[in-house]
C-alpha cells in the first residue's frame, strides 16, 4: 500500500486540524521528478525551490511557528560535483530572490549545518541572512544545509568535553536538557511532525536527536509536486495520531 493511501482514505473535513508548532521536512524526489519528465536532475531542484516557497507560505498561512527543511545533507557531497555546486548556487539564488520577501513577512531565517567545505563567501552570506532577520518574530525558517544529525551530536559532545575540561561544566550536569543546548537547534523546540516526500520511509540522518518523539508522515508525491494538498494531508494524518511520549495516555507537549 502506498505510504499515504491510508491518509487519503479519511475525508479531510472530518478531522479538526491540529497545527504542529514545529514541522520538519525532508524534501525528497527532485531527481525522480525530473527523470520522469526526461529532464536533467538540476531542473528537479529548480522546481524544488518553488515547492519550498509554497511550503513557507503554507507554514505562515497555517500558523506554524518553526519550519526546518533539509536542503543539503552532509552525505550529499557524494553526488557528482556539478550537482553539488548547482545546489549550492540554488541556496545563493534562493537568498537573493526571497530574502527581502521573507524579511518583509517577519520570517526569522536560520541556517544549521557544518561550516566545513563551505567557501568563505557562502559562510558570510549565511551570517548576513541570519543577522538581517535575527529580530523577526514570525515564522522561524531553519534551513539545514551541509547538515547531518550524527555529526551534530558528535560536535555537541566535543564542545561539552571541551567545557568539562576547561571547568565550565561539570560531568554531573550533563543531562538531556543540557546536552540539547549544545545542539545547533538549541533555541528551537523539537519537531512535532517530520514529513518526507517521494515515498521513501527513513530519516536519512535528519534531526536524529530532536526527532525522538516526532510523528513521521510519508507522502508518495515527489518534492516538486508538493503543495497545499500534500501539506493538509500530512496535517490531517498528524491530527489523527495519538502522541504518547512513552506514556500510556495521549499527551500534548
Ligand atoms: C532531494 O531530492 C533533494 C535534495 C538533495 C536537495 C533539496 C534541495 C531543494 C529542494 C532545493 C534547494 C533549496 C535550497 C534553499 C538550497 P533528490 O535529488 O535526492 O531526488 P531523488 O531521490 O529522486 O534523486
Amino acid at each position: 500500500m502506498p505510504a499515504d493511501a491510508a491518509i487519503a482514505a479519511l475525508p479531510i473535513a472530518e478531522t479538526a486540524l491540529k497545527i504542529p508548532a514545529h514541522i520538519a521536512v525532508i524534501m525528497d524526489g527532485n531527481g525522480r521528478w525530473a527523470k520522469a519528465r526526461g529532464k536533467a536532475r538540476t531542473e528537479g531542484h529548480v522546481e524544488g525551490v518553488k515547492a519550498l516557497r509554497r511550503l513557507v507560505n503554507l507554514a505562515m498561512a497555517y500558523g506554524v511557528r518553526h519550519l526546518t527543511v533539509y536542503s543539503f545533507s552532509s552525505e550529499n557531497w557524494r553526488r557528482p560535483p556539478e550537482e553539488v555546486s548547482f545546489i549550492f548556487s540554488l541556496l545563493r539564488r534562493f537568498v537573493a530572490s526571497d530574502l527581502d520577501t521573507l524579511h518583509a513577512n517577519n520570517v526569522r531565517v536560520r541556517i544549521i549545518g557544518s561550516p566545513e567545505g563551505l567557501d568563505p563567501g557562502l559562510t558570510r552570506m549565511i551570517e548576513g541572512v541570519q543577522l538581517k532577520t535575527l529580530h523577526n518574530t514570525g515564522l522561524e525558517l531553519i534551513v539545514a544545509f551541509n547538515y547531518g544529525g550524527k555529526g551534530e551530536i558528535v560536535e555537541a559532545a566535543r564542545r561539552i568535553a571541551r567545557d568539562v575540561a576547561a571547568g565550565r561544566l561539570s560531568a554531573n550536569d550533563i543531562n538531556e536538557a543540557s546536552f540539547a543546548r549544545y545542539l545547533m537547534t538549541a533555541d528551537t523546540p523539537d519537531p512535532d511532525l517530520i514529513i518526507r516526500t517521494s515515498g521513501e520511509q527513513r530519516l536519512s540522518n535528519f534531526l536524529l536527536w530532536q526527532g525522538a518523539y516526532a510523528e513521521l508522515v510519508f507522502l508518495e508525491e515527489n518534492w516538486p509536486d508538493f503543495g497545499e494538498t500534500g501539506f493538509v494531508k500530512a496535517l490531517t494524518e498528524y491530527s489523527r495520531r495519538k502522541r504518547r511520549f512513552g506514556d500510556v495516555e495521549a499527551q500534548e507537549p
Side-chain angles (χ1 to χ4, degrees):
M1 184 165 69
D4 53 354
I7 306 173
L10 249 202
I12 284 163
E14 285 183 14
T15 312
L17 281 192
K18 284 186 199 150
I19 306 300
H22 184 174
I23 299 180
V25 183
I26 303 174
M27 310 181 287
D28 196 12
N30 293 350
R32 275 161 286 171
W33 181 93
K35 192 173 176 207
R37 288 159 181 77
K39 296 173 189 275
R41 291 177 57 80
T42 47
E43 291 194 52
H45 296 317
V46 169
E47 289 303 312
V49 174
K50 294 181 191 166
L52 171 59
R53 211 169 273 136
R54 288 195 290 275
L55 171 67
V56 171
N57 287 332
L58 286 163
M60 288 191 293
Y62 281 77
V64 174
R65 299 296 307 147
H66 313 271
L67 175 68
T68 303
V69 293
Y70 205 8
S71 53
F72 188 80
S73 80
S74 41
E75 288 71 37
N76 285 155
W77 288 103
R78 296 179 193 145
R79 295 183 175 214
E82 309 78 52
E83 185 172 339
V84 170
S85 59
F86 190 81
I87 296 175
F88 274 59
S89 74
L90 277 188
L91 178 64
R92 291 177 204 276
R93 277 152 57 181
F94 179 69
V95 168
S97 59
D98 288 53
L99 182 60
D100 285 346
T101 310
L102 291 168
H103 188 44
N105 283 321
N106 199 22
V107 176
R108 180 179 175 196
V109 184
R110 286 175 58 201
I111 293 153
I112 59 167
S114 167
E116 246 172 74
L118 306 189
D119 70 60
L122 191 59
T123 306
R124 270 198 305 278
M125 185 199 79
I126 287 172
E127 284 163 3
V129 167
Q130 298 188 139
L131 202 60
K132 181 175 171 119
T133 62
L134 183 63
H135 299 296
N136 288 347
T137 54
L139 173 72
E140 179 183 37
L141 171 63
I142 303 173
V143 179
F145 194 86
N146 201 19
Y147 172 87
K150 285 187 177 182
E152 179 189 28
I153 293 168
V154 168
E155 179 58 23
R158 191 179 292 134
R159 289 176 47 223
I160 287 171
R162 281 198 203 112
D163 279 357
V164 171
R168 290 188 290 265
L169 179 71
S170 153
N172 291 331
D173 290 334
I174 302 172
N175 52 42
E176 290 183 15
S178 63
F179 195 98
R181 285 198 288 276
Y182 285 81
L183 296 172
M184 296 166 184
T185 50
D187 306 320
T188 305
D190 288 342
D192 306 289
L193 167 64
I194 296 179
I195 302 171
R196 182 173 189 149
T197 57
S198 89
E200 304 292 345
Q201 303 196 0
R202 57 178 171 272
L203 284 177
S204 299
N205 207 10
F206 185 47
L207 300 179
L208 295 183
W209 174 287
Q210 300 88 336
Y213 280 102
E215 295 296 328
L216 309 181
V217 172
F218 302 104
L219 299 175
E220 282 298 309
E221 67 206 43
N222 286 321
W223 178 247
D225 290 326
F226 182 86
E228 187 159 15
T229 306
F231 185 77
V232 171
K233 202 183 265 187
L235 287 189
T236 304
E237 173 61 16
Y238 171 79
S239 304
R240 284 166 36 200
R241 300 267 176 95
K242 306 232 177 306
R243 304 190 74 194
R244 290 197 295 275
F245 299 94
D247 203 340
V248 284
E249 296 293 332
Q251 305 283 315
E252 290 306 321

